[in-house]
Amino acid sequence: MKIVTRFAPSPTGALHVGAARTAIFNWLFSVSLGGDFLLRIEDTDRARSEERFERQIIESLEWLGLKWQGEIVRQSERLDAYGQLAEQLIDEQKAYRCYVTAEELGRRREEAKKRGEVFRYRREWSQLGAAPGKPYAVRLSVSSGEKIHVEDLVRGGIVFDSSEIEDFVILKADGFPTYNFAAAVDDARMEISHVIRGDDHIINAPRQILIAEALGFGKPKLAHVPMILGADGKKLSKRHGAESVTEYRLRGYFPEAVLNYLVRLGWSFGDQEIFTTEELVEKFSLKGIGKSASVFDSQKFLWLNGKYLRDMPEERISEGAIPLIVQRGFPEPSPERLRKIVAQMRERSETLNGIVDQSLYFFTNDFEYDEKAAQKFLVEQNGEIFKLLAEELHGIEDFSHDNIHGGFERVMERTGLGLGKIAQPSRVALTGSTKSPGIFDVVEILGRDAVASRLARAIDFIKSRNA
RNA sequence: GGCCCCAUCGUCUAGGGGUUUAGGACGCAGCCCUCUCAAGGCUGAAACACGGGUUCGAAUCCCGUUGGGGCUACCA
């Protein structure tokens, strides 16, 4: 059997990490088995679907490197097909027109709830309010008292009682299919062999099976993967903060890291934490998927991204950093200088944005002193050190790490102080804070002029403060 | 409420009857390295939800309880 999977997002928002993981699982499954991975846009909710979301989802998929085969299928472009199939079911008496409005139904549901009853649509209401030309929905006739067996590749067999399922709508009054109908029809039409989707769809499985059976279509194999929960244990959603792939891209995460983190949420391969994409393709299988929901841990995600950051070819980091630097209003540094900054900062950051945000003092002399740091280190006796240091560094011909080290050594000799006593105040004078790469590296990257002016600035600062 | 799913450290997970003093990872704590911060290395604290079975033996199998989650739309 040819393996065909699909990712079927509805364009009602950015690509959510939960949806992204579903896409990743489908993609990995098909790629690892030499099958096809298709993309279908489920834009049957006219009110909520927007084209910009579709574009955003596609962009995220491309960014993650999830390539699909063939044309994108849009359900909104296939209205005729769903309509026809619905008509066919009506002709075969497997479905019928329902004239009861959604509002009326809502009212009845309310009432039933008040009485503590479970509301289920009854066929006898179908002619309620029927009139020529009046809009209607199409409902599937569901006979009660039957067992519907769902074979799930992750969970095993699940049995539903058809009595629990009302005659649900397959075609809305606006002529659009409902999710269940469109999905069942398209999965068959696109010859999807395996449907891998979130746990929250388990409940839809029997309905889609009913539709496929009514239509005489084959049924794809099903695999329901556990959901991703927020830190509060609830279904991950907008209120959990950064939850879209776009968001993480903008925060300076790498696509490989996003892929790696997401795939490990709910799937595992022994003890392994880090996977290249090639390894994932090689090692992925449905067997590794767990059954319980997982909590999205942004700290581990950050750590993983940092891991990738430390391993990544330098050029790629530099390339990614340039726009961020420019975006913050600084001129683009020379490649050599950027290379040095990146080499230092990649050890101290987790994301691309982190690198840039933590190295602002490399790009401007006009930075603020950290208040506590200034309090402690920009004091009278250190002013003398800055003067000596300025002298020693000024005389250095070749402004390299080793020669700078020598300059510091001479200051140490002249003052009788240890390196720490000199480096730390200098760090504050040069970077405004007590945290930075090694002081010789900082000095080298800054260059003679910036170092001189910053030391002078610190000396002035001390003076003005004492005045 | 009804239906469905799930249950190993705080979190992601390994383990699927004896190999287990339950392993790894994030996070946390300590130590080492060290000019600070990181990175890196080492060490530590930290879990089989509970109750019944089955079995010579159960984290592993079964049942129940409890807890959590999902769905309950002319949303997907």
Side-chain angles (χ1 to χ4, degrees):
Chain A
M1 178 189 45
K2 166 121 172 129
I3 302 292
V4 184
T5 64
R6 74 336 123 105
F7 177 53
S10 61
T12 54
L15 182 64
H16 194 274
V17 292
R21 192 195 54 168
T22 301
I24 292 167
F25 282 168
N26 276 287
W27 180 78
L28 281 174
F29 183 72
S30 67
V31 172
S32 66
L33 265 27
D36 281 346
F37 171 65
L38 310 180
L39 179 59
R40 180 170 83 217
I41 303 294
E42 308 215 320
D43 52 354
T44 53
D45 183 343
R46 282 165 117 177
R48 295 197 304 147
S49 296
E50 289 183 39
E51 215 188 299
R52 69 190 168 104
F53 291 136
E54 181 186 316
R55 281 197 302 272
Q56 199 178 358
I57 289 168
I58 288 172
E59 179 248 28
S60 292
L61 253 21
E62 285 171 341
W63 182 70
L64 287 171
L66 309 186
K67 292 198 184 67
W68 60 91
Q69 279 75 48
E71 293 293 304
I72 296 173
V73 172
R74 273 180 208 83
Q75 295 185 325
S76 63
E77 294 169 0
R78 298 184 16 85
L79 262 29
D80 288 352
Y82 307 118
Q84 260 172 35
L85 257 10
E87 282 301 320
Q88 179 194 318
L89 288 176
I90 293 172
D91 289 347
E92 293 171 353
Q93 314 228 322
K94 291 174 178 166
Y96 57 86
R97 297 183 177 85
C98 162
Y99 293 90
V100 186
T101 62
E103 294 71 40
E104 170 68 14
L105 248 23
R107 253 194 45 229
R108 286 174 187 257
R109 252 182 273 272
E110 276 301 301
E111 283 168 14
K113 199 172 179 181
K114 265 182 212 150
R115 276 178 277 133
E117 289 168 15
V118 176
F119 177 88
R120 270 192 210 93
Y121 183 90
R122 304 242 184 270
R123 179 161 201 172
E124 53 269 28
W125 297 340
S126 64
Q127 291 309 305
L128 235 55
K134 212 188 153 192
Y136 57 86
V138 178
R139 286 177 184 269
L140 189 77
S141 251
V142 180
S143 53
S144 51
E146 276 168 36
K147 298 285 178 216
I148 305 167
H149 295 262
V150 175
E151 248 337 287
D152 189 286
L153 265 20
V154 172
R155 271 152 226 288
I158 306 165
V159 182
F160 292 86
D161 187 334
S162 68
S163 310
E164 300 290 339
I165 302 173
E166 66 174 2
D167 290 352
F168 58 93
V169 172
I170 56 175
L171 205 68
K172 308 179 213 174
D174 64 3
F176 277 61
T178 57
Y179 159 71
N180 281 126
F181 192 55
V185 168
D186 288 340
D187 284 340
R189 191 194 66 114
M190 294 163 78
E191 300 183 327
I192 304 300
S193 67
H194 296 258
V195 169
I196 304 170
R197 69 207 337 177
D199 231 348
D200 46 343
H201 284 291
I202 282 191
I203 207 81
N204 292 315
R207 287 161 224 269
Q208 293 176 13
I209 286 172
L210 251 19
I211 291 167
E213 281 174 351
L215 256 14
F217 290 167
K219 287 168 278 185
K221 293 204 187 311
L222 265 21
H224 288 95
V225 307
M227 315 226 318
I228 299 178
L229 273 23
D232 58 358
K234 300 266 194 271
K235 188 175 174 179
L236 196 65
S237 70
K238 308 247 187 297
R239 60 174 208 288
H240 289 100
E243 86 298 342
S244 73
V245 170
T246 304
E247 186 76 24
Y248 284 104
R249 175 173 60 75
L250 260 23
R251 287 187 183 193
Y253 283 69
F254 294 104
E256 297 94 323
V258 176
L259 198 74
N260 193 154
Y261 180 70
L262 254 23
V263 80
R264 269 291 280 106
L265 223 43
W267 176 84
S268 62
F269 189 82
D271 277 348
Q272 193 168 345
E273 295 284 351
I274 315 252
F275 298 85
T276 63
T277 305
E278 294 70 39
E279 273 179 301
L280 285 175
V281 168
E282 182 194 323
K283 292 174 172 171
F284 183 82
S285 87
L286 260 23
K287 278 205 301 287
I289 294 179
K291 289 183 177 183
S292 49
S294 14
V295 173
F296 189 86
D297 182 353
S298 46
Q299 270 191 312
K300 187 166 182 179
F301 190 12
L302 196 60
W303 165 80
L304 221 212
N305 198 69
K307 204 87 176 151
Y308 273 84
L309 182 62
R310 266 157 248 136
D311 272 353
M312 193 131 296
E314 217 161 64
E315 310 80 66
R316 193 164 148 208
I317 302 173
S318 295
E319 224 169 85
I322 291 170
L324 298 177
I325 293 166
V326 173
Q327 188 185 310
R328 282 159 181 71
F330 304 117
E332 189 178 324
S334 73
E336 177 57 10
R337 185 151 195 270
L338 182 57
R339 194 191 61 73
K340 287 179 181 169
I341 293 172
V342 163
Q344 291 302 324
M345 300 313 289
R346 69 189 308 180
E347 305 290 330
R348 276 159 260 260
S349 310
E350 323 289 345
T351 65
L352 228 35
N353 293 39
I355 286 192
V356 176
D357 289 334
Q358 286 166 52
S359 18
L360 299 183
Y361 53 81
F362 283 126
F363 304 115
T364 175
N365 286 331
D366 189 28
F367 56 83
E368 306 256 320
Y369 293 127
D370 174 82
E371 205 170 312
K372 272 188 190 154
Q375 192 86 29
K376 184 168 178 196
F377 292 103
L378 299 186
V379 294
E380 190 80 58
Q381 70 263 33
N382 287 336
E384 197 54 36
I385 292 175
F386 296 157
K387 251 169 76 184
L388 293 176
L389 187 61
E391 269 176 44
E392 292 295 346
L393 294 178
H394 182 72
I396 293 174
E397 194 81 9
D398 171 20
F399 215 65
S400 70
H401 183 283
D402 288 354
N403 290 340
I404 292 161
H405 188 171
F408 271 84
E409 291 283 352
R410 286 190 292 280
V411 175
M412 284 163 71
E413 278 164 30
R414 288 171 68 178
T415 57
L417 295 170
L419 181 55
K421 295 282 186 201
I422 296 167
Q424 200 58 354
S426 306
R427 192 183 319 278
V428 177
L430 263 24
T431 70
S433 100
T434 53
K435 305 168 189 171
S436 86
I439 194 69
F440 312 138
D441 294 301
V442 170
V443 170
E444 183 190 335
I445 294 169
L446 250 21
R448 194 193 316 271
D449 295 348
V451 169
S453 77
R454 288 178 191 200
L455 287 174
R457 176 186 166 194
I459 291 167
D460 284 348
F461 177 85
I462 293 169
K463 271 187 204 147
S464 69
R465 208 203 206 174
N466 290 343

